[in-house]
């Protein structure tokens, strides 16, 4: 999977601290460039 800039993906943000929302995965927006993501292997 190579996410593209602007896509919304689900990311596991555990462990949480304090009063942060807990759960399996949270939606996150990709802000790095698509070219960078491809070079990093996703």
């Amino acid at each position: 999977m190579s996410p593209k800039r602007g896509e919304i993906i689900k990311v596991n943000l555990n462990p949480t601290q304090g009063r942060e929302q807990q759960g399996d995965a949270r939606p996150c927006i990709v802000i790095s460039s698509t070219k960078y993501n491809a070079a990093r292997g996703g």
Side-chain angles (χ1 to χ4, degrees):
M1 176 180 126
S2 184
K4 295 183 174 96
R5 184 179 195 145
E7 281 188 325
I8 296 175
I9 59 174
K10 287 193 174 190
V11 178
N12 184 352
L13 299 175
N14 287 331
T16 57
Q17 294 180 351
R19 300 182 72 102
E20 294 178 334
Q21 290 183 334
Q22 297 178 352
D24 294 332
R26 308 286 300 154
C28 296
I29 189 163
V30 177
I31 60 172
S32 55
S33 72
T34 303
K35 193 174 184 179
Y36 174 80
N37 295 336
R40 299 285 297 167

